[in-house]
Amino acid sequence: MKPAEIESTSFAIIDSEVPEPRPFQGEEWLVVRRMIHTSADFELLSLVRFHPEAVRRGMEALSKGCLIVADTEMARVGMTRNRLDRLGCAVDCYINLPEVTEKARKDGTTRAASAVDYALPRLTGSICVVGNAPTSLFRILHWMKEGRCSPALIVGIPVGFVNAAESKEALMMQNETPYVTIQGRKGGSSLAAAVVNQMAEIALGEKSRQ
């Protein structure tokens, strides 16, 4: 089977195993379906949470060629360059920059949080993708509360046992910025990348119809 055929067959299997009425409809279902395709985890049907404006705002930002800021290299490389290049979007991750590492050491914090501080001037209008580091998500929320940044969308789904669930609860408690998240401990860079990949796919489809 060719790669495209494998993907389409996988989506058809997921569609058949989640019959109507589904817990998500329209473009939200397309996003969740790709997340299930990435993880083979149907429990996501009860755990994924969307801000009402999440998909629309994400697609608008992508269509305008926004910057995407990832918390880890794993998330960055998981986002398909072919799609994003066609939309004019750049994807950056700052966690391995020497100045970020040095600031984290001096401040006694994580590199993920330090990377958010470094990225702060670029975060307004961007898509923030957090698949691994709760400290990154907490730091974004801190600067939002301080009025220092206003992302177009936060894909906030850090995975783990220490502050992952808590950081996502904090994300859902604010209504200022649209978000996609997963309630509880589940998440990860591949799932975070999958959300952006599907939104980019939808945005490209709309662009081709214009």
Side-chain angles (χ1 to χ4, degrees), residues 3-192:
E5 187 181 356
I6 293 171
E7 182 179 81
S8 63
T9 301
S10 296
F11 285 154
I13 291 170
I14 296 168
D15 284 339
S16 69
E17 294 194 18
V18 189
E20 296 281 6
R22 298 185 177 111
F24 301 95
Q25 298 296 320
E27 291 161 345
E28 288 187 356
W29 168 242
L30 298 181
V31 173
V32 174
R33 185 177 67 174
R34 187 169 290 277
M35 295 170 77
I36 295 171
H37 174 260
T38 298
S39 61
D41 185 357
F42 283 89
E43 190 180 4
L44 293 175
L45 291 168
S46 64
L47 298 177
V48 176
R49 300 287 185 269
F50 289 92
H51 181 281
E53 296 292 313
V55 177
R56 183 184 66 82
R57 290 280 297 278
M59 288 168 51
E60 286 177 355
L62 290 166
S63 296
K64 293 175 182 177
C66 71
L67 173 66
I68 303 167
V69 178
D71 67 328
T72 63
E73 287 294 327
M74 289 184 291
R76 184 185 67 81
V77 300
M79 287 178 265
T80 308
R81 290 303 324 166
N82 179 51
R83 293 187 184 99
L84 297 175
D85 286 345
R86 288 155 63 194
L87 291 167
C89 296
V91 185
D92 285 338
C93 176
Y94 308 113
I95 197 167
N96 291 321
L97 293 179
E99 52 266 53
V100 168
T101 301
E102 179 61 18
K103 185 176 186 299
R105 185 190 65 80
K106 286 183 177 179
D107 294 347
T109 188
T110 66
R111 286 187 299 143
S114 179
V116 172
D117 292 346
Y118 179 89
L120 183 58
R122 306 170 177 86
L123 294 185
T124 294
S126 71
I127 294 178
C128 297
V129 179
V130 181
N132 188 72
T135 54
S136 177
L137 184 51
F138 273 132
R139 196 65 173 162
I140 294 166
L141 293 171
H142 166 76
W143 289 126
M144 285 167 49
K145 187 175 181 179
E146 293 292 314
R148 297 284 302 279
C149 68
S150 181
L153 174 71
I154 299 174
V155 180
I157 49 179
V159 62
F161 298 95
V162 180
N163 285 327
E166 291 83 354
S167 67
K168 289 180 278 190
E169 288 295 330
L171 174 61
M172 289 185 282
M173 286 179 65
Q174 63 81 41
N175 289 310
E176 177 183 348
T177 299
Y179 59 80
V180 182
T181 191
I182 298 173
Q183 193 169 37
R185 294 171 171 175
K186 291 188 176 186
S189 297
S190 61
L191 284 169

